[in-house]
């Protein structure tokens, strides 16, 4: 592996968040930058909400080559950019800023990253019936991605009003997140995506309500939770013989897409994945 060498030519990319010190993105992107041999560095900036306009002005003034945005900046950055990609507009959130000439563009790579992760695992979702569990930011990116693939979408969420709002935006059907309501639809699903925080560390025993015996044998189960990588939902799905896709895939591919927007180089996906997996074991 090449060592980091910073000089007068070094270019800067990074992530803005608050808090941000838990982020795995610096390790993942710096490993990728070293692998392709670019004299760039990726840093994490802890930016409080009221300092976001100054941070974006700083990006413009300093010529920072690209940024990721995480909580709480994904919506707040929208009025600060010169344009949005269609994905960012439809998802209503920006996780990546890149330059198109002199224009600062806000993009959302979560949606395409999710689709790449599914396809990498051998799942082609086009035209399938998919149950989305959750109605937060990640669910919105997944709903947009799958709506672009002509999927029939069912959305269940703890707070049912939020499921209804999301369902309305993507021509989906909202369902109560209870065993009783879900029992009526399990036989029809080709895939299930957990976009809730259920199963995430430290509450690793929690999982959404699922009736494994009613779900078709050839269905797939994707969990966006990546801490731990093997959630209780995925372990139980495997025990019932179902195909599973963990949350690392989407995390790697949303990062890989951002890397490609900034550098124009194909992202070294295997290096990025290995770095994340090593970070998860720490
Ligand atoms: P968010 O906007 O805060 O949404 C959280 C969602 O989880 C909501 O639907 C919420 O339901 C639900 N939820 C939280 N606690 C719950 C509980 N105890 N029981 C039932 N439902 C519960 O968060 P987000 O950004 O969408 O993230 C959701 C999950 O996806 C997180 O685990 C995050 O780490 C993961 N994620 C992974 C990736 C990846 O690349 N793999 C990317 C983004 C997010 P209510 O509406 O009822 O509150």
């Amino acid at each position: 592996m090449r060592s980091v060498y910073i000089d007068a030519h070094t270019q800067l990319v990074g992530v803005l968040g608050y808090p941000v010190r838990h982020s795995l993105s610096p390790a993942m992107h710096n490993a990728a930058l070293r692998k392709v041999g670019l004299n760039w560095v990726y840093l994490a900036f802890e930016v409080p909400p009221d300092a976001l306009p100054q941070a974006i002005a700083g990006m413009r003034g300093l010529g920072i080559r690209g940024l990721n945005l995480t909580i709480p900046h994904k919506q707040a950055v929208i009025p600060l950019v010169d344009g949005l990609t269609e994905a960012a507009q439809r998802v209503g959130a920006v996780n990546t800023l890149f330059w198109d000439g002199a224009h600062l563009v806000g993009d959302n790579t979560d949606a395409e990253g999710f689709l790449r992760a599914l396809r990498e695992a051998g799942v082609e979702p086009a035209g399938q019936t998919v149950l989305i569990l959750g109605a937060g930011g990640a669910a919105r990116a997944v709903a947009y991605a799958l709506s672009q693939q002509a999927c029939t979408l069912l959305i269940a969420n703890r707070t049912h009003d939020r499921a209804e709002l999301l369902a309305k935006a993507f021509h989906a059907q909202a369902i109560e997140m209870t065993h009783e309501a879900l029992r009526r639809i399990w036989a029809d699903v080709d895939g299930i995506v957990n976009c809730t925080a259920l199963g995430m560390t430290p509450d690793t025993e929690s999982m959404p309500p699922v009736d494994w015996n009613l779900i078709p044998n050839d269905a797939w189960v994707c969990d966006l939770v990546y801490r731990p990588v093997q959630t209780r939902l995925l372990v139980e799905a495997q025990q019932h013989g179902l195909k599973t896709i963990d949350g690392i895939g989407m995390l790697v591919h949303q990062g890989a897409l951002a890397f490609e927007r900034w550098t124009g180089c194909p992202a070294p996906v295997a290096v990025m994945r290995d770095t994340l997996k090593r970070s998860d074991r720490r």
Side-chain angles (χ1 to χ4, degrees):
M1 192 184 283
R2 289 176 182 84
S3 60
V4 181
Y5 179 74
I6 295 177
D7 63 12
H9 297 277
T10 305
Q11 300 291 312
L12 180 59
V13 282
V15 56
L16 311 186
Y18 191 77
V20 80
R21 298 297 166 215
H22 64 286
S23 175
L24 302 178
S25 295
M28 176 174 76
H29 279 287
N30 284 313
L33 291 166
R34 280 196 296 274
K35 177 70 182 173
V36 302
L38 282 173
N39 183 2
W40 293 33
V41 291
Y42 183 108
L43 297 179
F45 297 97
E46 195 154 74
V47 176
D50 61 358
L52 185 66
Q54 288 143 279
I56 300 303
M59 176 188 191
R60 293 177 187 273
L62 296 172
I64 292 174
R65 297 295 290 266
L67 287 174
N68 286 134
L69 284 310
T70 186
I71 291 170
H73 302 315
K74 286 184 171 191
Q75 275 108 32
V77 78
I78 290 175
L80 304 173
V81 299
D82 302 324
L84 295 174
T85 61
E86 193 196 328
Q89 274 174 43
R90 294 291 314 280
V91 177
V94 166
N95 75 341
T96 300
L97 300 181
F98 69 93
W99 292 103
D100 179 9
H103 282 259
L104 186 59
V105 181
D107 193 6
N108 187 304
T109 64
D110 280 338
E112 180 64 22
F114 166 73
L115 284 180
R116 279 199 188 183
L118 282 190
R119 292 190 170 125
E120 180 184 59
V123 171
E124 177 46 67
Q128 292 194 335
T129 297
V130 180
L131 172 66
I132 296 175
L133 297 161
R140 205 174 162 88
V142 167
Y144 167 68
L146 293 173
S147 72
Q148 295 296 98
Q149 303 303 310
C151 291
T152 299
L153 297 180
L154 308 165
I155 300 176
N157 190 49
R158 175 177 64 179
T159 309
H160 187 64
D161 290 357
R162 293 186 79 196
E164 285 194 328
L165 272 178
L166 185 58
K168 207 167 163 196
F170 292 101
H171 307 291
Q173 183 190 337
I175 299 169
E176 298 278 351
M177 202 165 89
T178 61
H179 277 289
E180 198 172 50
L182 292 168
R183 193 170 296 138
R184 293 194 284 275
I185 59 100
W186 288 128
D188 300 327
V189 304
D190 298 299
I192 300 164
V193 190
N194 178 37
C195 307
T196 74
L198 285 166
M200 195 165 74
T201 304
D203 200 7
T204 54
E205 280 307 298
S206 64
M207 62 178 270
V210 179
D211 271 322
W212 296 116
N213 296 332
L214 302 179
I215 297 171
N217 295 332
D218 57 354
W220 50 269
V221 179
C222 176
D223 202 334
L224 300 197
V225 172
Y226 53 83
R227 271 202 159 133
V229 177
Q230 288 303 312
T231 58
R232 181 174 168 196
L233 179 73
L234 293 186
V235 170
E236 288 196 11
Q238 282 154 17
Q239 285 165 351
H240 286 82
L242 304 184
K243 184 180 191 68
T244 60
I245 302 110
D246 66 43
I248 293 283
M250 176 171 167
L251 195 61
V252 167
H253 285 291
Q254 61 77 29
L257 285 155
F259 184 96
E260 288 166 6
R261 300 267 193 282
W262 300 329
T263 66
C265 301
V269 171
V271 168
M272 295 169 85
R273 186 188 317 275
D274 286 352
T275 307
L276 286 179
K277 288 201 161 152
R278 274 200 308 277
S279 308
D280 184 62
R281 285 196 289 270
R282 266 183 219 145

